Amino acid sequence: MNRDIGKNAERELVSILREQGFNAVRIPTSNSSPNPLPDVFATKDNLLLAIECKSTWENKVKVKEKQIRKLFDFLSMFTTMEGIPLIAVKFKNIHEWRIFILEKVEDVIITAENTKPIETLFINEWNEEKEKNPLSI
């Protein structure tokens, strides 16, 4: 992802999360840093989201294991919060943000078909379901 495109997508995602009541920040050096840092992290109540952010005109995007490991390692530092590692992709061809909740550290191919709309994070049904199983929506 082009750096300017990536920065803009990350800023847009932070804005969306803040509009929904999350405390959200972009970490500008996350990709080049050896530290376990997500592109964006957000909190609301006891929930902590570690997010790898992508933006594409394509129908899919590949996220490498190394980037995913950083999300899990970041969340492991916050044992008192419910951490959720996820990929947020802005599919520009369909004008939509989509999310993919990660279950394990491995390369993944993200498509509109194997993701959920970002609004899924903001509905009460998901909040009730995450209490039962935080990795399923």
Side-chain angles (χ1 to χ4, degrees), residues 86-89 91 94 96-101 110-121 123 126 135-137:
L86 62 93
I87 310 295
V89 180
F91 286 102
I94 61 172
E96 188 173 12
W97 278 95
R98 309 280 297 180
I99 60 167
F100 182 92
I101 297 189
I110 309 295
T111 67
E113 290 76 32
N114 70 359
T115 57
K116 303 265 184 192
I118 194 167
E119 293 79 13
T120 308
L121 286 173
I123 57 175
W126 181 80
L135 296 178
S136 71
I137 56 171

Side-chain angles (χ1 to χ4, degrees), residues 3-97:
R3 285 189 184 181
D4 288 336
I5 293 170
K7 288 179 199 176
N8 291 337
E10 291 166 2
R11 288 183 183 118
E12 181 180 337
L13 180 59
V14 166
S15 178
I16 291 168
L17 291 165
R18 287 178 178 168
E19 287 172 7
Q20 296 298 321
F22 282 83
N23 295 307
V25 295
R26 173 181 168 265
I27 302 175
T29 61
S30 62
N31 195 34
S32 60
S33 172
N35 295 312
L37 298 171
D39 291 330
V40 171
F41 77 92
T43 63
K44 187 173 185 179
D45 301 323
N46 195 44
L47 183 65
L48 172 60
L49 305 177
I51 306 168
E52 178 68 28
C53 184
K54 301 292 181 186
S55 179
T56 184
W57 283 103
E58 304 295 323
N59 294 325
K60 65 182 178 182
V61 67
K62 181 175 183 175
V63 183
K64 295 184 179 184
E65 178 182 339
K66 179 182 175 182
Q67 294 171 298
I68 293 170
R69 180 171 310 285
K70 284 185 173 189
L71 301 178
F72 280 88
D73 290 349
F74 175 80
L75 290 172
S76 72
M77 296 186 289
F78 300 91
T79 57
T80 61
M81 298 186 80
E82 178 185 353
I84 300 184
L86 62 93
I87 310 295
V89 180
K90 181 179 183 180
F91 286 102
K92 294 194 253 185
N93 56 344
I94 61 172
H95 309 288
E96 188 173 12
W97 278 95

